[in-house]
Amino acid sequence: MIWAGIWDGDHTKTYRMNRDKGSTQEGYSSSSYLKIIQGYILAIWQSGIEFTYNDTPIYTPSIVKNWFNENDIPLVG
């Protein structure tokens, strides 16, 4: 799975997510997604930006939403 941040005419590099060996079918999980956003969102996030996501199951668990709340990053989904 590939992740990238895109905003107002700019973007991050693309990052390949690692599979989570403990997840269903050794795929991607909220834990593997959380590692990506912890490493890259805070480096690019600026006040006034809203983070947009879709309904992919790894994006919606409370562990992910709580991380955004704890870091005062508004979610639009």
Side-chain angles (χ1 to χ4, degrees):
M1 180 178 222
I2 302 295
W3 180 91
I6 303 169
W7 69 97
D8 195 28
D10 206 355
H11 58 85
T12 66
K13 295 178 183 178
T14 56
Y15 300 95
R16 184 172 184 215
M17 290 177 56
N18 294 323
R19 291 184 177 270
D20 184 348
K21 299 291 184 186
S23 72
T24 305
Q25 299 175 349
E26 296 185 0
Y28 303 97
S29 67
S30 58
S31 296
S32 57
Y33 176 63
L34 193 56
K35 287 178 185 176
I36 288 288
I37 61 174
Q38 287 172 328
Y40 301 111
I41 294 293
L42 292 179
I44 63 170
W45 191 85
Q46 300 171 11
S47 181
I49 295 174
E50 296 174 324
F51 190 84
T52 304
Y53 65 97
N54 60 27
D55 290 335
T56 301
I58 66 171
Y59 299 165
T60 57
S62 60
I63 189 172
V64 173
K65 291 180 178 181
N66 289 342
W67 183 88
F68 279 99
N69 287 333
E70 290 167 4
N71 289 283
D72 296 320
I73 300 174
L75 290 173
V76 177

